[in-house]
Amino acid sequence: MSQVLDRARIQDIDALRGFALLGILVVNITFAASGFPIHVAEDPAYGSWLDEVVRWLSSAFVDMKFYLLFSFLFGYSFQLQVEAAQRVGAAFRPRMLRRLGGLFVIGVLHGVFLITGDILSVYAIIGLVLLGMRRVKDRTALIVAGAIYAYLFVTLSIASMFLDTSAILDPTTAVAAAQQTTANLAGSFSDVIGEHVRALPTYGLSLLTVQGPTTLAAFLVGMVVGRRRLLKNLNGNEAVLRLIQLIGFTVGITGGVYYASLGGNANTRAVLISVLTAPFLSAAYAASLLRFMHTDRGEDIRRLLAPAGRMALSNYLGQSVATLLLFTGVGFGLVGQVSPLETVGFAVGIFVLQLILSHLWLSNFRYGPVEGALRAVTNATAPSWRRIDQAA
């Protein structure tokens, strides 16, 4: 019975990670499909009511939500790795340093060659902070997470009062820059790489000011939840999950609607509201999926999503390979030629294909392609993906 419960617990986490992958793809694919989102500009070719509705819904319910869930799960898994190392008496720190170093290299290559922007290298850098804080008390970790959001509240509030975003984001200049970016992405591989490199300072500023700090906060909360076994042996009927849904959807949807209605990232006040309320919606999504997966109908969803989450790193990079081939001049060159609704359709199609491939791969191997390589770096051994019929 305990083995069944443990397997369900592991599948819960993997399924949540797989679900987060879909949300991340829905956001990231917009930056691959057009140069306009990168420059926070409206594409005049796609300004119909349907285009506006799709963008609005994405802003309200997807943007800035799923990377938080993914980051929370990173912190949770980090804690599981700490405990696993302690059980076998392994030296955790050097192993994790090698792992984070490998992740940083993968992230840099990913951000230069595959897609505009990258989160893996940021995870690696912030992971060093998490590594240094792994022995702090739960209370301290939560205080630091709260202090991060207090800092963001103060800085973004000041920015919203004194920063004139319209003066910075001139529509004419933004559209011209977006058109140039789109043309570059439609060019040769060297043009695409050049565009990725030129965008690094812009993404670096975003990561320093908002995404990086919130990622660390999510890491710390995930670590604490992992320590307290709060996701272990859930049955879906826990009152706390219903409470998270009630508060999370109320606060999160209110903030998401406000964010979308004010123009998303083009408005500093909207960003402030989203930063403060997005964690609530992320938590509500997670609680809802956890509750549903423990129903008779939901068990199939858990089994469907879990393999994709189990090899999340491979799938995350695979998403970028797919968008590179679909939208840039390296492949079909569809950049700037796909509507917002069609872009979402592509995202769903890519994810469905990844679900199928994840099941097929893990029916033969114990680790995903990139996971196996990173595991070798972590353990300082030769790569081995282990066939499923081999001993553990």
Side-chain angles (χ1 to χ4, degrees):
M1 180 66 174
S2 62
Q3 290 180 342
V4 173
L5 288 173
D6 188 59
R7 185 165 59 250
R9 175 185 63 81
I10 294 172
Q11 282 194 337
D12 280 349
I13 303 305
D14 286 340
L16 283 174
R17 196 177 288 112
F19 175 62
L21 277 172
L22 173 58
I24 288 171
L25 175 57
V26 170
V27 174
N28 286 352
I29 198 172
T30 62
F31 294 92
S34 172
F36 284 82
I38 298 171
H39 296 279
V40 198
E42 293 286 339
D43 188 346
Y46 298 104
S48 71
W49 68 269
L50 180 59
D51 297 326
E52 295 293 341
V53 167
V54 172
R55 280 193 288 259
W56 189 93
L57 290 173
S58 180
S59 295
F61 298 102
V62 183
D63 292 7
M64 300 180 72
K65 281 76 176 178
F66 285 89
Y67 85 87
L68 288 174
L69 177 56
F70 206 78
S71 301
F72 165 84
L73 294 171
F74 183 97
Y76 185 92
S77 298
F78 173 88
Q79 178 59 27
L80 297 185
Q81 293 173 48
V82 170
E83 295 175 2
Q86 291 172 342
R87 284 195 298 270
V88 300
F92 178 73
R93 190 170 182 275
R95 293 179 73 255
M96 183 53 67
L97 286 174
R98 288 193 296 269
R99 185 176 186 83
L100 294 174
L103 191 64
F104 179 80
V105 172
I106 292 172
V108 170
L109 295 175
H110 174 244
V112 171
F113 293 102
L114 295 181
I115 197 169
T116 305
D118 168 72
I119 193 63
L120 298 178
S121 55
V122 178
Y123 271 30
I125 295 171
I126 299 177
L128 293 173
V129 180
L130 190 64
L131 181 62
M133 296 183 65
R134 70 188 185 280
R135 293 192 179 93
V136 301
K137 295 180 179 179
D138 292 353
R139 182 172 179 270
T140 302
L142 295 177
I143 288 175
V144 171
I148 288 171
Y149 273 90
Y151 160 77
L152 290 172
F153 172 75
V154 172
T155 55
L156 289 174
S157 295
I158 293 174
S160 67
M161 289 187 291
F162 299 105
L163 185 64
D164 183 6
T165 53
S166 62
I168 299 174
L169 300 173
D170 175 63
T172 303
T173 303
V175 167
Q179 290 171 337
Q180 184 59 56
T181 293
T182 301
N184 292 338
L185 293 175
S188 66
F189 194 29
S190 62
D191 293 329
V192 173
I193 293 173
E195 186 57 44
H196 292 168
V197 172
R198 279 189 291 273
L200 289 178
T202 301
Y203 275 86
L205 179 62
S206 172
L207 292 168
L208 284 173
T209 56
V210 176
Q211 197 168 13
T214 54
T215 295
L216 176 57
F219 279 6
L220 292 170
V221 173
M223 182 179 70
V224 171
V225 170
R227 285 178 180 176
R228 298 195 176 192
R229 307 291 196 278
L230 298 182
L231 297 184
K232 187 175 183 180
N233 298 336
L234 295 174
N235 59 34
N237 294 320
E238 289 80 7
V240 67
L241 294 179
R242 294 192 294 272
L243 181 62
I244 291 173
Q245 285 180 299
L246 176 62
I247 298 175
F249 281 126
T250 301
V251 177
I253 291 177
T254 301
V257 168
Y258 188 94
Y259 170 74
S261 300
L262 286 184
N265 289 339
N267 186 294
T268 307
R269 185 173 298 174
V271 172
L272 168 63
I273 295 299
S274 183
V275 165
L276 297 178
T277 60
F280 290 90
L281 194 51
S282 299
Y285 285 155
S288 299
L289 186 58
L290 286 169
R291 291 193 66 195
F292 180 66
M293 288 190 302
H294 286 272
T295 64
D296 292 338
R297 291 177 298 169
E299 286 183 1
D300 292 334
I301 295 299
R302 181 174 63 199
R303 286 192 288 266
L304 179 67
L305 291 173
R310 186 175 161 191
M311 45 187 286
L313 180 56
S314 295
N315 281 320
Y316 176 71
L317 296 172
Q319 290 172 355
S320 297
V321 172
T323 56
L324 178 80
L325 295 177
L326 279 171
F327 297 109
T328 72
V330 177
F332 294 99
L334 296 178
V335 61
Q337 302 177 43
V338 181
S339 72
L341 183 60
E342 290 168 336
T343 301
V344 174
F346 273 117
V348 173
I350 291 170
F351 187 69
V352 169
L353 179 60
Q354 289 190 310
L355 290 177
I356 296 171
L357 293 177
S358 296
H359 278 265
L360 291 174
W361 180 274
L362 292 177
S363 66
N364 293 288
F365 299 97
R366 293 183 181 275
Y367 311 109
V370 185
E371 284 78 6
L374 187 58
R375 186 173 184 273
V377 172
T378 302
N379 296 329
T381 60
S384 174
W385 287 266
R386 288 192 186 178
R387 293 191 63 83
I388 202 71
D389 55 358
Q390 292 176 322

